[in-house]
Amino acid sequence: MESYDKKGNTVRKILLIGWDAADWKVIHPLLDSGRMPNLQKMIQNGVMGNLASLRPELSPMLWTSIATGKRPYKHGILGFTEPNPDGRGMRPVTNLSRKSKCIWNILNQSGYRSLVVGWWPSHPAEPINGVMVSNHYQRAVAPYGAPWPMQQGTVHPERLRKNLADLRLHPQEIDPGLMQQFVPNLINIDQEKDKRIEAIAKTIADATTIQRAASALMHHERWDFAAVYFDAIDHFSHGFMDYYPPKSTRVSDVDFENYKSVVENGYILHDFLLGSMMKEIDGETTVILVSDHGFHSDHLRPVHIPGEPAGPAAQHRPYGIFVMSGPGIKKDELIYGSSLLDVCPTILSCCNLPVGEDMDGKVLLNCFREKKTVQFISSWDHVEGDDGSHLPGFVVDPLESSETIRQLVDLGYIDEPDENEEKAASNASRELRYNLAKSYMDAGLHGNAETILQELTAQWPEEYRFGLELVYCCQMTDQAVRAQILLEDILKRKEQQAEIARKELEELHQNLSDSDENCGLQWKMKQRIIGLRQRASINSFGMSYLRGAACQAVGDHEKALEYFRQAEGNNIVSAALLVQEAVSLEALQQIGRAEETYQKALEIDGENCKAMLGLCRLSLDSGNNTRTAHLALDVIALRYYTPQAHFYLGCALHGLGKLSDAVRALGIAVQQNPNFPEAHRCLADIYEKSLHHKEKAAECTLAAREAQRRIEQMQKGEVPVGGAEEPGSHHPQAGGTPRNWGWTQEEVRKSVLIVSGLPRSGTSLIMQMLDAGGFPVLTDHTRCSDSDNPRGYFEYQAVKRLPRENRWLLGHSGVAVKVIAQLLPFLPEVDTVPYRIIFMERNLDEILQSQMRMLENMGRKKKNSPRALIKSGFYKQLEQAKAFLASEDIPVLYVRHQECICQPERVVAEINSFMGGILDVSRMAEVVDERLYRNRIG
């Protein structure tokens, strides 16, 4: 049955398939031997190429970038876990943190019907027009034969819940014959001791479950777009790539023989699953197969995995796969320069829909047989209408949430979370901030990253990775001297820590008898020894490499080469080290040796873009424009988003007399990096001297100056940090005579009056006014008056426990109680007790200033508090509180703090009207003391 969009045009189906960590280096031998026939057929009928990944190479971030066309710092998914919204513990990452629409939300607004199965993250399932099965669907959470319930929110619509539950495959149901294909020696392995067999079975079951659900939905449900995600190749690779041929010296002969076929059979399984899904489509369907990153399978497999959260990402290769086939797509051709950011814009173009100008990707026009005209829209996020996403009140930024929860605890407005839960939430928040910084760095926004890394380094000085990334940011913003000082401080602290750990180890071993060593220690003692050994170890290669890079950044290339040669002495083969050596040789005008060293780096890693750029630069300096252009295009083919490559290409094309192509290349360079004064100046030179376009030349000259000014600002640390604007005004009573709410005094006395707002927004002032006006207020006087609130806080300690216990409020009709905005959703149900709410609003900067001063007075102010992050979090929590109040249809009187101070008579008249006219307005107005308005802005 044909589908139609909102304009009545026939819609061709699009199937997007995701294979996490799939890599051409593993696929090509299987294609050559005929063991992936379904993928082979797809390639022959379409296009294929590399898909450049992003940094950091963490799957939830990357798959959301594929679905949105935006970098993680824009879409908001920043890691594997996130703090719970209440700041107590953490949870697996959800889609509730996402800040941008995914492709299925955009299509939802355009009249398309979608199927989304297993996408990461897609829990809880969004109420789209179609079906969504979340990434929590496939996991077996119970022993075989036991009940295996699905979490709430796993499936939308609910009518499909039972049918989809029945399609799941338990690991214990895997056919032994299939298992033996993965592990031919299966019968001889003791599975009680070797849990790797169980891991293989779980991974096969997960992948098969996803395929069953996708094929069933494609067969039985009407759809225009489908997105299906498989994580199994990533699991097979992390678990078994060490056993993939050729044999590594790190694995035993027995393990190699047992598990050498696991990875390639994982790929063969996926080809079979691909074939099953292809049976559910026709020749008019466009199919796109992608992976978010690759996986090192050769001599570049890392020897050591970093001992840090997300450390296994070191095994990821920065290039995934891209295959696209269908009507209007070229056949059996290679494409170059694609990035995972390009997938969403390309799908929109297939649907003849405009691409968001705020998307970071481009349409892959080289996939299509006929020329396509790309249309644009400022942002799909600004388009109103049903997009099938969760209601705004449900969306919580985990990073901002945890910071604001911490601030509320410090201020005394909510209870201290459990220590272990708080630590878990803090660690999750820390990693999200770190990943946000790395996302900024990947986009070239080193100034934004620097601000975050400074905060992280100050809070966790023992986490050297934060400091090392900060050093790199300083180097990239021309703060080389500062970078060198920071690095030396980090390395000295690391050496001191190692020396202390070595002494502790010696003392520990001296106190242990031989029998203790041989017979085993208690688990805690063993863990302590492991931790001490890690702290006592010194990475000589890494320290020499870093010191060399720091010397290089300040221009001391002779010293840099000394350190790089020290690093070479550790017998570690590193293309990155050779590139750094070549850069210093180039700076010392040892051009021949520099070129030779760049070539050696490429012999180790043929896809090292930095080595290619080095050769590109040498060729340009020597006047070999043709070679420069070819080398630049090689880089662009791998990583289109490389401004330096487009710059070198533009310079080379200029030298070859191809002016229009040169302007185009240089234009891309400054588009990708606006802070690129050399590219702007080169454009100005072409426009003025070759094209005689004075206006354009003047524009480019001005742009070069602006770019230089921004760079100098970053060098001085004057980096603008984005904050949140104030929420929109919600004051139906503003101006004119007070609104007549039409309530009797009896109705008011039977209700509970809630005074709410953000902490330090003026809620205590409202409580004072109500008290003075003769209305009972609920307070236990536990928190005494002080310099921050000289007339008292008017708090009731039980309010802090609302998330756990709220029934106590039912017995307090006819009183006013202060409840901060963040706790409003935890009030008892509206039908159990009628509420009226006075909601205090105040300038967010004033609130933050007041909170910081209060924390300082309490001795709890943090040295590097992330103010912009907290402000953004409070802004969103205000919007969520207002969305909650609107959804519950609770009467609310919004009061502006500044008006309360400056126009008290008018405000108390509004409050009295809201309260049925039972208050003494003259005494209420007398409470206001403008001298206590001490944290005003403007």
Side-chain angles (χ1 to χ4, degrees):
M1 184 173 63
E2 287 188 339
S3 295
Y4 301 90
D5 63 16
K6 285 187 174 181
K7 296 180 180 179
N9 300 316
T10 302
V11 172
R12 283 177 171 165
K13 292 181 177 180
I14 299 173
L15 171 60
L16 172 64
I17 302 171
W19 287 357
D20 200 307
D23 195 299
W24 287 122
K25 287 189 176 183
V26 179
I27 291 173
H28 280 310
L30 295 170
L31 291 173
D32 293 342
S33 60
R35 288 185 286 174
M36 295 188 76
N38 295 302
L39 179 57
Q40 183 71 62
K41 183 179 179 181
M42 189 177 168
I43 291 170
Q44 290 171 349
N45 289 298
V47 298
M48 63 174 286
N50 282 326
L51 197 68
S53 189
L54 304 175
R55 182 174 180 263
E57 290 159 7
L58 304 180
S59 292
M61 302 170 69
L62 301 179
W63 288 106
T64 307
S65 287
I66 289 171
T68 60
K70 296 181 180 181
R71 291 181 178 273
Y73 76 85
K74 289 184 180 179
H75 64 57
I77 300 297
L78 296 169
F80 294 102
T81 60
E82 60 191 19
N84 283 321
D86 62 0
R88 293 171 166 85
M90 64 181 186
R91 65 188 182 192
V93 64
T94 69
N95 57 18
L96 297 178
S97 308
R98 201 183 68 230
K99 301 174 182 176
S100 289
K101 294 175 184 174
C102 282
I103 180 65
W104 47 83
N105 303 121
I106 296 171
L107 294 177
N108 202 94
Q109 288 185 293
S110 305
Y112 289 69
R113 187 174 173 85
S114 298
L115 308 177
V116 182
V117 182
W119 207 264
W120 195 9
S122 56
H123 191 85
E126 296 176 72
I128 60 172
N129 176 24
V131 181
M132 182 172 285
V133 182
S134 89
N135 58 296
H136 288 193
Y137 164 67
Q138 68 272 25
R139 303 280 185 256
V141 294
Y144 183 60
W148 182 5
M150 283 198 300
Q151 288 185 37
Q152 281 299 117
T154 299
V155 174
H156 167 83
E158 191 69 19
R159 64 179 173 81
L160 296 172
R161 183 181 181 85
K162 183 181 183 305
N163 290 344
L164 286 166
D166 292 342
L167 289 174
R168 295 174 298 171
L169 181 70
H170 195 279
Q172 295 294 321
E173 297 177 292
I174 300 293
D175 186 279
L178 176 59
M179 288 297 299
Q180 205 151 13
Q181 288 183 32
F182 279 78
V183 187
N185 197 30
L186 177 66
I187 196 169
N188 296 319
I189 294 175
D190 185 348
Q191 295 184 38
E192 288 298 318
K193 295 180 180 178
D194 192 340
K195 299 301 181 184
R196 286 172 287 191
I197 302 300
E198 182 181 348
I200 294 169
K202 285 182 177 179
T203 306
I204 294 172
D206 287 351
T208 306
T209 296
I210 290 292
Q211 179 271 320
R212 284 182 172 184
S215 293
L217 292 171
M218 290 163 66
H219 186 83
H220 293 288
E221 297 289 323
R222 185 173 65 82
W223 62 279
D224 307 308
F225 170 78
V228 186
Y229 165 76
F230 297 86
D231 62 7
I233 288 176
D234 187 68
H235 288 250
F236 285 133
S237 298
H238 278 296
F240 300 94
M241 190 60 83
D242 279 346
Y243 313 112
Y244 182 76
K247 180 181 175 298
S248 166
T249 57
R250 301 190 300 276
V251 302
S252 69
D253 291 339
V254 173
D255 278 352
F256 177 71
E257 288 302 320
N258 284 341
Y259 298 112
K260 65 182 180 182
S261 301
V262 172
V263 170
E264 67 175 18
N265 275 286
Y267 278 81
I268 292 168
L269 171 67
H270 279 68
D271 187 75
F272 173 79
L273 301 178
L274 173 65
S276 298
M277 286 190 290
M278 298 292 264
K279 292 176 183 177
E280 302 299 334
I281 62 173
D282 56 29
E284 293 300 301
T285 302
T286 299
V287 184
I288 303 172
L289 173 64
V290 299
S291 67
D292 56 336
H293 55 75
F295 208 98
H296 288 300
S297 59
D298 49 20
H299 62 288
L300 295 175
R301 283 180 283 191
V303 177
H304 301 291
I305 305 299
E308 62 184 61
Q315 297 173 285
H316 296 167
R317 185 168 161 266
Y319 303 105
I321 69 168
F322 178 83
V323 186
M324 184 175 183
S325 67
I329 306 301
K330 293 177 182 177
K331 291 194 175 184
D332 201 16
E333 285 199 22
L334 288 169
I335 62 164
Y336 301 96
S338 55
S339 157
L340 55 79
L341 293 167
D342 304 330
V343 175
C344 181
T346 301
I347 293 172
L348 289 173
S349 186
C350 286
C351 299
N352 295 313
L353 292 172
V355 175
E357 291 175 344
D358 57 343
M359 291 181 178
D360 297 302
K362 64 184 184 304
V363 177
L364 294 173
L365 296 172
N366 49 352
C367 294
F368 300 97
R369 287 202 299 264
E370 297 179 1
K371 184 177 180 180
K372 288 185 76 73
T373 301
V374 180
Q375 299 175 314
F376 291 94
I377 186 174
S378 61
S379 174
W380 278 100
D381 290 338
H382 300 155
V383 176
E384 295 183 356
D386 180 16
D387 59 13
S389 60
H390 297 294
L391 293 174
F394 289 101
V395 180
V396 177
D397 185 310
L399 198 58
E400 295 160 349
S401 173
S402 64
E403 291 294 345
T404 51
I405 288 291
R406 178 69 262 163
Q407 180 110 328
L408 296 176
V409 170
D410 288 341
L411 289 165
Y413 287 97
I414 63 173
D415 275 348
E416 186 84 20
D418 176 81
E419 182 180 350
N420 292 331
E421 290 182 337
E422 183 188 16
K423 184 177 180 182
S426 174
N427 289 344
S429 174
R430 177 189 69 189
E431 296 308 312
L432 295 180
R433 291 165 66 191
Y434 182 46
N435 293 336
L436 174 60
K438 290 202 283 188
S439 177
Y440 276 131
M441 292 168 69
D442 190 52
L445 300 172
H446 295 93
N448 301 60
E450 183 182 339
T451 304
I452 299 168
L453 291 167
Q454 283 175 337
E455 294 171 356
L456 291 173
T457 303
Q459 289 177 264
W460 288 278
E462 72 282 359
E463 287 282 350
Y464 299 111
R465 57 197 169 110
F466 301 153
L468 293 176
E469 294 288 359
L470 178 58
V471 168
Y472 181 72
C473 277
C474 291
Q475 290 172 345
M476 295 303 293
T477 52
D478 292 337
Q479 302 176 73
V481 174
R482 181 188 175 210
Q484 193 170 32
I485 294 169
L486 284 170
L487 178 63
E488 283 305 316
D489 176 63
I490 292 168
L491 296 182
K492 283 177 183 176
R493 283 190 288 113
K494 174 63 177 171
E495 289 169 338
Q496 290 168 356
Q497 180 198 59
E499 183 60 31
I500 293 169
R502 279 193 290 270
K503 288 179 180 178
E504 287 185 36
L505 267 175
E506 289 173 10
E507 292 174 6
L508 188 61
H509 284 299
Q510 286 172 5
N511 295 328
L512 293 173
S513 66
D514 290 339
S515 60
D516 287 330
E517 284 272 56
N518 295 329
C519 298
L521 305 167
Q522 292 182 353
W523 184 83
K524 285 187 178 180
M525 187 67 75
K526 286 183 177 179
Q527 292 301 111
R528 186 182 172 199
I529 289 175
I530 291 170
L532 286 171
R533 283 174 179 164
Q534 288 176 344
R535 286 166 52 199
S537 64
I538 292 286
N539 183 346
S540 300
F541 171 85
M543 296 183 82
S544 297
Y545 178 93
L546 290 167
R547 283 193 165 114
C551 290
Q552 188 182 83
V554 295
D556 190 350
H557 294 282
E558 294 281 5
K559 191 68 175 174
L561 285 171
E562 288 182 26
Y563 281 121
F564 292 144
R565 283 159 190 158
Q566 283 180 22
E568 278 189 73
N570 289 273
N571 296 319
I572 295 177
V573 178
S574 169
L577 175 62
L578 290 172
V579 169
Q580 293 286 53
E581 281 189 45
V583 168
S584 285
L585 289 168
E586 184 182 348
L588 294 169
Q589 293 300 304
Q590 298 181 37
I591 304 302
R593 290 182 61 197
E595 182 163 359
E596 182 183 327
T597 308
Y598 281 131
Q599 292 287 6
K600 284 182 180 177
L602 286 173
E603 288 170 12
I604 296 171
D605 179 5
E607 296 175 339
N608 190 301
C609 289
K610 290 183 179 178
M612 293 182 197
L613 285 172
L615 291 172
C616 195
R617 189 166 50 248
L618 294 179
S619 297
L620 185 64
D621 291 343
S622 68
N624 191 339
N625 290 313
T626 301
R627 185 176 183 234
T628 301
H630 283 301
L631 285 163
L633 287 169
D634 286 343
V635 176
I636 292 167
L638 283 169
R639 284 202 166 272
Y640 181 80
Y641 296 92
T642 309
Q644 203 73 28
H646 292 283
F647 173 65
Y648 291 148
L649 177 61
C651 293
L653 292 170
H654 183 201
L656 292 169
K658 299 182 178 181
L659 299 181
S660 59
D661 290 335
V663 168
R664 189 178 302 111
L666 291 166
I668 294 171
V670 297
Q671 180 185 19
Q672 292 183 1
N673 180 14
N675 299 333
F676 201 158
E678 296 91 340
H680 287 294
R681 283 194 286 267
C682 192
L683 274 170
D685 188 59
I686 294 174
Y687 278 122
E688 183 174 356
K689 296 179 181 177
S690 302
L691 298 177
H692 308 294
H693 200 316
K694 291 185 178 181
E695 288 183 5
K696 281 282 188 182
E699 285 178 17
C700 293
T701 300
L702 179 61
R705 288 177 189 154
E706 286 296 307
Q708 190 64 48
R709 182 184 61 80
R710 287 192 295 269
I711 291 172
E712 290 169 0
Q713 279 184 313
M714 286 190 286
Q715 291 169 350
K716 297 174 184 176
E718 298 172 0
V719 183
V721 179
E725 295 180 0
E726 300 278 347
S729 178
H730 295 265
H731 298 271
Q733 81 284 3
T737 57
R739 172 181 169 183
N740 182 6
W741 294 84
W743 294 323
T744 65
Q745 295 183 8
E746 186 64 23
E747 286 175 324
V748 170
R749 290 193 172 96
K750 285 183 178 180
S751 64
V752 177
L753 177 63
I754 304 294
V755 176
S756 191
L758 290 177
R760 310 302 293 169
S761 62
T763 49
S764 297
L765 173 59
I766 295 293
M767 293 290 282
Q768 293 166 35
M769 294 167 75
L770 291 167
D771 187 40
F775 194 79
V777 295
L778 186 61
T779 176
D780 53 21
H781 303 288
T782 299
R783 181 148 37 171
C784 300
S785 58
D786 54 28
S787 59
D788 293 299
N789 260 356
R791 296 183 177 177
Y793 285 86
F794 290 83
E795 292 176 347
Y796 192 65
Q797 292 302 303
V799 170
K800 298 180 182 180
R801 300 193 297 274
L802 279 174
R804 300 190 296 276
E805 169 56 44
N806 63 10
R807 308 301 293 175
W808 58 266
L809 191 58
L810 301 180
H812 290 288
S813 298
V815 300
V817 59
K818 191 167 81 170
V819 178
I820 62 170
Q822 290 88 342
L823 295 180
L824 288 176
F826 299 104
L827 293 172
E829 295 293 330
V830 176
D831 57 1
T832 62
V833 58
Y835 298 111
R836 282 166 177 73
I837 294 182
I838 298 176
F839 199 101
M840 198 70 168
E841 293 193 303
R842 185 179 182 182
N843 179 287
L844 275 176
D845 288 311
E846 290 187 355
I847 288 174
L848 276 175
Q849 186 169 301
S850 179
Q851 290 182 1
M852 296 301 179
R853 189 161 294 173
M854 181 175 171
L855 288 172
E856 187 174 4
N857 294 338
M858 296 166 70
R860 295 182 181 178
K861 185 177 180 181
K862 296 177 183 176
K863 186 177 179 182
N864 293 282
S865 183
R867 184 176 179 128
L869 200 62
I870 294 170
K871 178 180 176 181
S872 180
F874 279 145
Y875 167 80
K876 291 181 181 176
Q877 288 174 1
L878 273 177
E879 291 298 277
Q880 291 157 16
K882 290 172 182 176
F884 165 77
L885 294 175
S887 68
E888 296 293 328
D889 196 27
I890 299 173
V892 184
L893 176 69
Y894 289 97
V895 176
R896 289 191 181 99
H897 175 265
Q898 192 173 32
E899 289 182 358
C900 203
I901 302 295
C902 301
Q903 301 176 359
E905 291 81 6
R906 193 186 67 77
V907 171
V908 296
E910 288 285 357
I911 294 174
N912 189 40
S913 176
F914 185 69
M915 297 298 292
I918 64 175
L919 303 175
D920 186 333
V921 292
S922 60
R923 294 191 63 187
M924 289 176 69
E926 290 172 0
V927 167
V928 177
D929 185 349
E930 191 171 354
R931 292 172 299 176
L932 297 178
Y933 185 15
R934 294 166 293 188
N935 295 288
R936 68 177 75 202
I937 303 293

